Amino acid sequence: MLVFLAGFGLGLSLILAIGAQNAFVLRQGVRREHVGVVVLVCAASDAVLYAAGGAGLGALVEQHPAVVDVARWAGAAVVLGYGALAARRAWRGEEGLTAAGEATVDDAGRRLRPVLLTTLALTWLNPHVYLDTVVLQGSVAATYGDDRWLFSAGAMVSSLVWFSVLGYGARLLAPLLRRPGAWRVVDGVIALVMLAVAVSLVTGR
């Protein structure tokens, strides 16, 4: 049990930082738009990466830095693009009551594909994800020997818990964000977060 809790604690410490993925999950949660899909994709992706780390693939990633470099530049492009969209929404003030979860069923259906693709891009094109989940978590898990899978399981559960709380808990903010002005602030902050993440990816910091 202590090994599981250790993995859970490390997983939370790695995922709590505000970043592009968390900002996107939070926004989808407030909009109440495909929250379950977003949470599932993020948690399942982390589970795959944690499993890879537990299997010892961290050393392979470290031996092939070109893979991380490709993800770094591709991720920077995706994050910048999403940040630009958020900045445009903030400038135009396009959000309103619909942003609080009052979109029609047809609108929601049409938006599933771009939401899914954005979630996958923000998750898998972020090199920090590989360094944190595969390399760092994998290295720590290896110190537990045969219990490394229990440690990795704790990290996987922490991811599921975090994204569930972030995605479904965000709807509590919906009453405060029914005015376009409030959403302009939210999108402005998201744009700044995305810009900061993109800069960190390009500079490698």
Side-chain angles (χ1 to χ4, degrees):
M1 187 63 180
L2 291 179
V3 175
F4 179 89
L5 291 177
F8 186 92
L10 177 62
L12 277 183
S13 68
L14 294 176
I15 205 172
L16 283 176
I18 298 299
Q21 186 187 50
N22 283 343
F24 181 73
V25 174
L26 181 63
R27 189 175 192 278
Q28 292 303 119
V30 173
R31 290 174 60 90
R32 301 182 185 180
E33 184 180 72
H34 304 303
V35 180
V37 173
V38 172
V39 169
L40 180 61
V41 169
C42 291
S45 296
D46 277 0
V48 171
L49 292 167
Y50 282 133
L57 294 184
L60 183 62
V61 173
E62 289 182 316
Q63 292 172 5
H64 295 81
V67 175
V68 177
D69 286 339
V70 170
R72 179 162 62 91
W73 287 101
V78 170
V79 169
L80 274 178
Y82 187 79
L85 293 176
R88 186 180 69 174
R89 290 193 301 266
W91 177 261
R92 295 181 177 180
E94 297 174 352
E95 301 289 352
L97 289 174
T98 301
E102 298 181 5
T104 65
V105 174
D106 289 341
D107 287 340
R110 286 195 297 268
R111 291 173 179 171
L112 175 58
R113 183 176 180 181
V115 167
L116 179 59
L117 292 177
T118 301
T119 306
L120 289 170
L122 293 177
T123 301
W124 290 92
L125 293 180
N126 180 4
H128 295 306
V129 169
Y130 299 97
L131 296 177
D132 288 345
T133 59
V134 179
V135 178
L136 178 56
Q137 185 274 152
S139 298
V140 177
T143 65
Y144 287 90
D146 293 337
D147 289 333
R148 66 183 184 281
W149 292 113
L150 186 59
F151 181 89
S152 297
M156 294 176 190
V157 173
S158 74
S159 178
L160 177 60
V161 170
W162 168 250
F163 286 120
S164 297
V165 171
L166 187 63
Y168 289 103
R171 65 182 56 189
L172 298 176
L173 300 175
L176 303 176
L177 298 173
R178 289 183 177 272
R179 294 181 296 106
W183 268 100
R184 296 183 76 172
V185 173
V186 171
D187 281 323
V189 171
I190 288 176
L192 291 176
V193 170
M194 297 297 176
L195 176 60
V197 172
V199 171
S200 69
L201 291 176
V202 172
T203 59
R205 297 180 180 178

